[in-house]
Amino acid sequence: MDNTLFTEQAPALRDFFASVDAKDLREAADRISTRFGLPMDRETDWVEVEYDFNRLFVGPAAVPAPPYASAYQPEPTLMGEPALEVREAYRALGLEVPDRNATPDDHLAYELDAVAALGGAEGDPTASQVLNWFINDHMHGWIPRFAAAVREQPSVSGPVRMAVDALTAWLASARTDTGINES
């Protein structure tokens, strides 16, 4: 297993999608750039990136690319079935989201945090099984649609586009690493 997928790349992605301000975004984008070998414009206006991030993922208005698995179901709902499935997976591992009932359990940052923890639990058959489910069934079922929703938006900032490209590459590598051959 390529541990850098889980010990370096997933946490960098998690931190980007969990960012709360321009400073967090810049620090996480720097780590993504380094971990994935992707170029980043050093002249970036990080306040503009923060506005873009909020427009796409946070709100206050309806967002075009919600970072929740439940939003990509046939009948999108907040805290839908995917959130409950993820909550059960966390519970089976003795994990819980830090702000339960404030942010849905199927938020991308929480899922990346879970797979980072699971990827470091080599030799644990339960962790391996849950990791396989997370990546190959759950995340693969919605992240490509999330990435497409971001890419369809006009004027997406370079760091946001870089993070989404890195997320897509990470998912493909994680699927290969857990035994799914991408074709």
Side-chain angles (χ1 to χ4, degrees), residues 59-94:
V63 296
Y68 307 97
S70 296
Y72 299 91
Q73 299 303 298
E75 292 186 32
T77 58
L78 196 59
M79 284 299 294
E81 185 176 334
L84 301 177
E85 290 173 347
V86 166
R87 183 177 285 175
E88 285 304 312
Y90 297 154
R91 189 174 293 140
L93 298 165

Side-chain angles (χ1 to χ4, degrees), residues 91-110:
R91 189 174 293 140
L93 298 165
L95 302 173
E96 187 174 300
V97 299
D99 59 352
R100 188 173 178 187
N101 298 325
T103 303
D105 297 45
D106 61 343
H107 188 282
L108 179 57
Y110 292 148

Side-chain angles (χ1 to χ4, degrees), residues 52-66:
D52 193 35
F53 181 89
N54 288 330
R55 172 183 67 88
L56 292 165
F57 310 130
V58 179
V63 296

Side-chain angles (χ1 to χ4, degrees), residues 82-155:
L84 301 177
E85 290 173 347
V86 166
R87 183 177 285 175
E88 285 304 312
Y90 297 154
R91 189 174 293 140
L93 298 165
L95 302 173
E96 187 174 300
V97 299
D99 59 352
R100 188 173 178 187
N101 298 325
T103 303
D105 297 45
D106 61 343
H107 188 282
L108 179 57
Y110 292 148
E111 292 187 6
L112 288 163
D113 193 42
V115 297
L118 290 167
E122 286 189 60
D124 179 343
T126 301
S128 292
Q129 184 178 15
V130 174
L131 178 64
N132 189 41
W133 173 80
F134 249 112
I135 291 169
N136 297 306
D137 297 331
H138 178 74
M139 295 176 97
H140 180 65
W142 76 274
I143 287 177
R145 289 182 276 166
F146 165 75
V150 173
R151 290 181 181 122
E152 290 170 0
Q153 296 305 304
S155 306

